[in-house]
Amino acid sequence: MELPGREFGFRHDPFLAVVADGILRLEHAAGDSEADLEAAGTAASPLHAEPLPVRVTFHGQDGEVAAVTLTAEPAEPAVPAHLLARAVGLECAPLPSAAAVTRFDVRADAERLLLTGSGPGLRLALLCQGGRLLVAELQDDAGRTWRIVATDRGLTQEQVTSAAAALAAEGAPAPAVAGALPAGTWLVMPGPVLVPVRGDSARPVLDAARRDGLGRALPARPVPARPLPVRRRGPVAFAGPEGFTVVASAPAARSPRGWGIGKPSDGDGVVISYSNPPLSVDGALVALPATPPYRTVLGGVLLVDAGVVAGSAVGAYVVPRDSGLQPSLFAFGALGSDKGIGPPPFQVRGVALGLGWNSRIRLPEVEAMNDFPFIAALKDPGAIGGADGDPVEILKTITGGADPWVRPAQDELWVAAGLAFSCFEAVKGHAMAVVQTGADLTIGLLGLASTEYPPGGGRTYAKAEIGIEVVVKPNKGELRLAAALTPNSFLLDPNCRLRGGVALVTWYGPSRQAGDFVFTLGGYHPRFRRPDHYPAPARLGFDWDLTGSVTVSGGVYFAITPSAVMVGGELEVNFHSGILRAWLVARADALIQWRPFHFDLGISVRIGVQAQIKILFVKITIRIEIGASLSLFGPPTGGEATVHLWFISFTIRFGADRDEGPRYLDWDGFKDMLPPPGNLVQIHAGSGLISDDSLSGGHGGAWLVSSAGFDFTVDSAVPITEMYLDKRSNPVAERGSRIGVRPMGESGRTSTQLVAVTLEGDPLPLTGTWHATFHRTSVPQSLWGTGAPNALPAPGAQLIHEQLTGVRLASPATENGESTGYISAQHLAFDPMAPGTQPLDPGAAPVGPVPRRLAGAAVIDRIRTTVDAAPQRTARRALAEAFTGFGVGLGELDGDLPGYVRAAETAFTAAPLLVPAS
């Protein structure tokens, strides 16, 4: 027979200790007892080569299975205790060979599982209630008693005391530990003193937000560990055949000082160390595996810890196999201190600098900012992505793997600089600027910011850690701004995890997606089909595991794209205890499209309960759920209201039918969706423009341009099918695609544009003389595509690419002559004056004031300050009035002469003479 343990609905599967999949396949050998339902036989198990003798008892209560007891007695050889612990999910370090189990009992109910076992000189207990706790007592042949405890999560003193009482009540060995118990496998020495057992493998970290069908927490997604680079100074226990060997380093006062040198465990190279407390130095220079076209990879790491200040540096030099390639190298270093430098409002706590030549650096996604080794080094200069401060592992972390953080790349260069800081001891930040050159030019600003409340230690009620990313890729035409909460963020309770992200991305210029953009806070509407190039941030919300039986989660989102805006949220409450489940789910979603306008709104609520009743080996599930939903859509406006009961569902429709055909706009309705007529076609002057002010010499407000060269652009909000220059009778200068008008249901339409230029009122030919550069960009599919106007475009089809939208026209180059040309004597001729009375007598003596020349620029300065001064203005007006009195009309005169003031500084090639006014 097959007995699936998960079908009982218990928090912990009672059969996992025997079978890995939780399904006990029993060769039946005995039947029922009078008190409880019972079966006995043998079952195949990965714990033993031979089938295990097994007895299973089902304890009933009110006609249901309330508990299950399993007893197994392995034949020789006995089962190692640590393998039995791993079978139920506790990663335990290897224990002595003598710690072997010849009989064990498993008792499981809705909330907990207790495994007790025994063997020669061994008593074992494993309690699963929330976390997993192992307690073992082993007596060797010499009469010594070894006590071991192991747990998959840290336990407080209260939790240890509670677990000890529960084990003692069952007659099982209890943990003899005073105070809290850290996660790991520990040998309990007299005192009691906890000594870590070497060989402890990685323990799964559970994520309360991720649960399986039974409500059990699933392992968290792996995050690379970044422990501090410190050596283990305390004692360490190693399991032997019958007991443990404890190795302890010498006391700190007598610890070895000076230099040490050795060889890495894998690979060629040298490892060095220096110790002179408080200074310690670790370093390595190793040859790493090389892949074609490179033949040698030489890497180095240096870790320095001086107590107050710690730092690290890492680098690699790569030699190519082909002489045509250049070597590649990179180096990165960080230096930090727990004590900041500067006043409390802003203190610097670390700096970092990196450089790569013929090298490429991979930037992290904002959700994985904690994984970026250079940010990790800025947070803790000793971490830098390594494990236990092992220099060789640090190099492998940065340069190894299928997608390394740093790799060789010909003709590329990157530079990185970072800063760790704190503000008012409340906000801690880690920022890094990165520039990557090459074909994929990238400019990035990365960072982490964290704060917690209340600051300064004690219990923390809230913590927020946010990854931030600003990336510009000019060659690809992409600008990305993103932020995301890390898994370290919580509110009120560490089990109330915060999540979510925000992103703003726009594409321009050389990008195929030019003209597209998206802003999203927490994701998109469920019906929105996200294009592949759009970011996918997590829902902005929380996941709260209240008691292990009750979980609450919620989330919201908001997004804007060229075709739609969307907003919504949801709240979900789940209860699970044994055979009973209950839930409440409420959500609201809104999707609004424009061009043309269309909306789709929906709200829904569901409440349900489910119970599983087991009679013998038959499971009966009773499920009751009630709910209601309302959706509104339009135009034309309509809606649906649905009521769901556990035995019937019905829908009430009102208004327009959702399945009606698309409603198209007429031309008047479509015109309102276009820019105003003045902005429909825009003309912009470029280089060579002198003035567009008609008062400055323009003709009727036209441009005044330079004869040395001029250009201008014409851009249209409507895609162009045919563009003409000068006149429509000329051949088509450039052709575009036929266009659709989606809101009107039109397709295959043609749009034309004519560009003509006049010079002082006369047509100026463009064809064949002016240089034309035609503009092609992306336009919204919701306006100029085809399809139903009330349907969202397909993913990646929100834009129509390579549409003709304008032109840049540049005047022909100026043709300068090589000489002044032929000048005849006639050009130099003059007209002689006929003999007569001359106005001036060349022999007359000078009369009147004598002209004066002032020193330096005083003459020009005198002209500048007096030509438009108030006395001169008054004198000029008086003179004009005198002429008018004599009957000489001078017409409209300029009373002010500011232009002469400006020209005085440049109009004279030499200082003129001044004659005093009489």
Side-chain angles (χ1 to χ4, degrees):
M1 66 180 68
E2 291 188 357
L3 304 177
R6 60 178 178 271
E7 296 298 330
F8 297 107
F10 297 166
R11 179 171 294 279
H12 303 281
D13 194 323
F15 299 150
L16 281 179
V18 178
V19 287
D21 59 1
I23 301 177
L24 186 64
R25 297 167 178 84
L26 191 66
E27 294 293 335
H28 188 260
D32 302 339
S33 67
E34 297 180 358
D36 297 297
L37 186 65
E38 187 177 272
T42 58
S45 171
L47 296 175
H48 208 279
E50 299 295 330
L52 296 180
V54 174
R55 178 176 296 276
V56 183
T57 304
F58 303 94
H59 306 280
Q61 182 178 356
D62 299 329
E64 300 180 359
V65 176
V68 174
T69 301
L70 179 147
T71 301
E73 298 184 13
E76 291 293 335
V79 177
H82 65 276
L83 294 183
L84 191 60
R86 293 177 181 178
V88 296
L90 175 61
E91 288 293 334
C92 178
L95 301 182
S97 304
V101 178
T102 58
R103 173 192 169 96
F104 63 89
D105 299 277
V106 179
R107 182 178 177 88
D109 56 26
E111 295 299 330
R112 79 171 191 178
L113 179 146
L114 175 63
L115 183 151
T116 56
S118 61
L122 174 69
R123 295 177 64 219
L124 176 72
L126 201 158
L127 178 64
C128 300
Q129 189 172 6
R132 294 171 176 82
L133 172 66
L134 176 141
V135 182
E137 293 182 357
L138 175 65
Q139 189 172 17
D140 60 17
D141 293 341
R144 294 171 297 191
T145 300
W146 304 96
R147 293 179 173 83
I148 307 101
V149 294
T151 179
D152 59 356
R153 62 177 62 180
L155 302 178
T156 64
Q157 182 176 358
E158 293 77 7
Q159 291 173 323
V160 172
T161 302
S162 175
L167 292 173
E170 298 289 342
V177 177
L181 179 62
T185 304
W186 306 91
L187 177 64
V188 183
M189 302 293 289
V193 175
L194 296 178
V195 178
V197 179
R198 179 61 64 87
D200 194 8
S201 59
R203 298 174 296 278
V205 178
L206 301 182
D207 185 353
R210 304 176 62 240
R211 293 185 173 273
D212 61 12
L214 297 177
R216 298 173 298 188
L218 295 173
R221 293 181 176 87
V223 176
R226 293 183 295 274
L228 293 175
V230 296
R231 305 178 186 86
R232 287 181 173 173
R233 301 294 187 183
V236 178
F238 296 87
E242 296 185 356
F244 291 89
T245 299
V246 179
V247 179
S249 60
R254 296 175 299 177
S255 60
R257 297 170 180 263
W259 292 95
I261 188 169
K263 183 179 179 181
S265 58
D266 53 345
D268 298 327
V270 61
V271 177
I272 61 172
S273 64
Y274 175 78
S275 176
N276 189 10
L279 176 65
S280 65
V281 179
D282 289 281
L285 186 65
V286 296
L288 299 175
T291 57
Y294 300 96
R295 60 182 175 87
T296 304
V297 179
L298 187 65
V301 178
L302 181 66
L303 306 176
V304 180
D305 187 353
V308 178
V309 178
S312 57
V314 60
Y317 183 78
V318 183
V319 180
R321 189 182 305 274
D322 186 354
S323 59
L325 298 178
Q326 294 181 326
S328 169
L329 66 87
F330 85 91
F332 183 88
L335 184 68
S337 172
D338 290 336
K339 295 183 178 181
I341 301 174
F346 185 87
Q347 291 187 329
V348 176
R349 297 181 177 271
V351 293
L353 186 65
L355 173 69
W357 180 64
N358 285 326
S359 174
R360 179 182 302 166
I361 186 172
R362 176 170 65 91
L363 300 185
E365 297 294 332
V366 66
E367 296 82 3
M369 196 62 65
N370 265 323
D371 299 340
F372 190 42
F374 295 162
I375 288 288
L378 197 55
K379 294 176 65 177
D380 170 16
I384 207 167
D388 290 332
D390 186 339
V392 178
E393 291 301 321
I394 291 175
L395 280 171
K396 291 181 179 179
T397 300
I398 296 177
T399 62
D403 191 14
W405 292 108
V406 178
R407 69 173 65 194
Q410 290 295 303
D411 301 323
E412 295 190 17
L413 172 75
W414 63 264
V415 179
L419 184 71
F421 59 90
S422 64
C423 296
F424 295 99
E425 297 290 341
V427 178
K428 295 182 179 180
H430 308 85
M432 179 167 292
V434 180
V435 177
Q436 170 78 64
T437 67
D440 187 15
L441 175 63
T442 302
I443 304 171
L445 178 62
L446 316 175
L448 277 173
S450 64
T451 184
E452 60 183 38
Y453 179 83
R459 179 177 178 182
T460 302
Y461 291 94
K463 180 177 180 180
E465 186 178 63
I466 303 175
I468 303 171
E469 178 185 60
V470 180
V471 176
V472 182
K473 296 184 177 182
N475 293 346
K476 290 187 175 181
E478 179 180 331
L479 169 63
R480 180 184 299 265
L481 294 85
L485 289 163
T486 73
N488 297 327
S489 304
F490 66 88
L491 180 65
L492 299 179
D493 180 0
N495 288 327
C496 181
R497 293 291 173 179
L498 304 179
R499 53 176 164 79
V502 58
L504 170 63
V505 187
T506 180
W507 292 266
Y508 60 92
S511 173
R512 177 173 173 77
Q513 312 298 335
D516 198 4
F517 74 92
V518 61
F519 171 76
T520 173
L521 178 69
Y524 309 90
H525 190 282
R527 290 181 54 205
F528 180 75
R529 292 178 292 174
R530 180 182 63 87
D532 292 338
H533 62 284
Y534 275 19
R539 278 283 190 268
L540 185 64
F542 67 95
D543 298 293
W544 195 352
D545 184 358
L546 290 172
T547 64
S549 300
V550 179
T551 59
V552 182
S553 62
V556 296
Y557 66 89
F558 173 79
I560 298 178
T561 74
S563 60
V565 60
M566 56 205 81
V567 63
E570 61 182 350
L571 177 67
E572 184 173 351
V573 182
N574 285 282
F575 169 79
H576 184 278
S577 180
I579 63 172
L580 184 65
R581 286 188 61 227
W583 61 91
L584 181 150
V585 180
R587 66 178 303 120
D589 299 285
L591 176 62
I592 302 174
Q593 300 172 234
W594 49 74
R595 299 184 177 182
F597 175 77
H598 181 78
F599 67 88
D600 192 334
L601 313 178
I603 58 174
S604 64
V605 178
R606 294 187 296 113
I607 303 175
V609 62
Q610 175 180 300
Q612 293 181 348
I613 300 176
K614 298 181 178 66
I615 301 177
L616 299 179
F617 298 111
V618 179
K619 180 184 69 175
I620 300 175
T621 301
I622 301 175
R623 179 186 177 97
I624 300 175
E625 184 180 61
I626 60 175
S629 63
L630 173 66
S631 63
L632 297 173
F633 49 84
T637 302
E640 299 175 349
T642 301
V643 177
H644 171 72
L645 303 176
W646 66 95
F647 59 92
I648 190 173
S649 296
F650 56 90
T651 300
I652 302 173
R653 296 179 173 84
F654 54 90
D657 191 348
R658 185 189 290 270
D659 298 330
E660 288 185 3
R663 294 293 186 95
Y664 296 111
L665 299 178
D666 57 14
W667 174 249
D668 291 334
F670 176 69
K671 283 196 304 182
D672 294 337
M673 302 172 63
L674 298 177
N679 296 330
L680 196 61
V681 176
Q682 295 187 346
I683 305 176
H684 300 283
S687 60
L689 177 68
I690 297 176
S691 174
D692 57 0
D693 185 358
S694 60
L695 297 178
S696 299
H699 180 80
W703 291 327
L704 182 64
V705 302
S706 171
S707 60
F710 169 70
D711 66 76
F712 67 95
T713 60
V714 180
D715 288 306
S716 172
V718 178
I720 302 166
T721 306
E722 297 176 350
M723 179 175 287
Y724 297 89
L725 300 180
D726 298 329
K727 51 187 177 181
R728 293 186 185 275
S729 59
N730 285 347
V732 177
E734 184 72 0
R735 291 188 182 276
S737 305
R738 290 181 176 269
I739 65 173
V741 185
R742 184 170 180 170
M744 297 180 63
E746 299 287 345
S747 61
R749 291 294 184 174
T750 299
S751 66
T752 62
Q753 186 176 84
L754 171 65
V755 181
V757 176
T758 60
L759 176 62
E760 296 181 351
D762 298 326
L764 182 66
L766 300 175
T767 304
T769 57
W770 287 56
H771 178 71
T773 303
F774 298 96
H775 297 169
R776 292 184 179 272
T777 58
S778 301
V779 298
Q781 209 273 353
S782 58
L783 271 182
W784 308 112
T786 58
N790 56 343
L792 283 172
Q798 299 191 82
L799 298 174
I800 306 175
H801 305 290
E802 295 297 319
Q803 297 299 300
L804 179 63
T805 58
V807 63
R808 175 182 176 271
L809 289 165
S811 64
T814 303
E815 296 182 3
N816 296 317
E818 297 180 356
S819 67
T820 60
Y822 175 72
I823 301 176
S824 66
Q826 183 178 358
H827 292 109
L828 302 177
F830 59 92
D831 296 328
M833 295 182 66
T837 303
Q838 298 294 326
L840 298 177
D841 182 3
V847 296
V850 178
R852 295 181 300 157
R853 185 185 301 274
L854 301 182
V859 175
I860 296 176
D861 187 64
R862 177 73 61 84
I863 297 173
R864 184 179 60 81
T865 57
T866 59
V867 70
D868 198 35
Q872 280 71 27
R873 293 179 188 174
T874 303
R876 284 194 294 270
R877 283 195 296 269
L879 181 60
E881 292 172 356
F883 275 105
T884 303
F886 291 135
V888 180
L890 299 179
E892 184 178 356
L893 301 176
D894 289 334
D896 301 335
L897 301 176
Y900 285 92
V901 175
R902 294 191 296 269
E905 298 180 356
T906 58
F908 299 103
T909 58
L913 300 177
L914 291 183
V915 176
S918 56

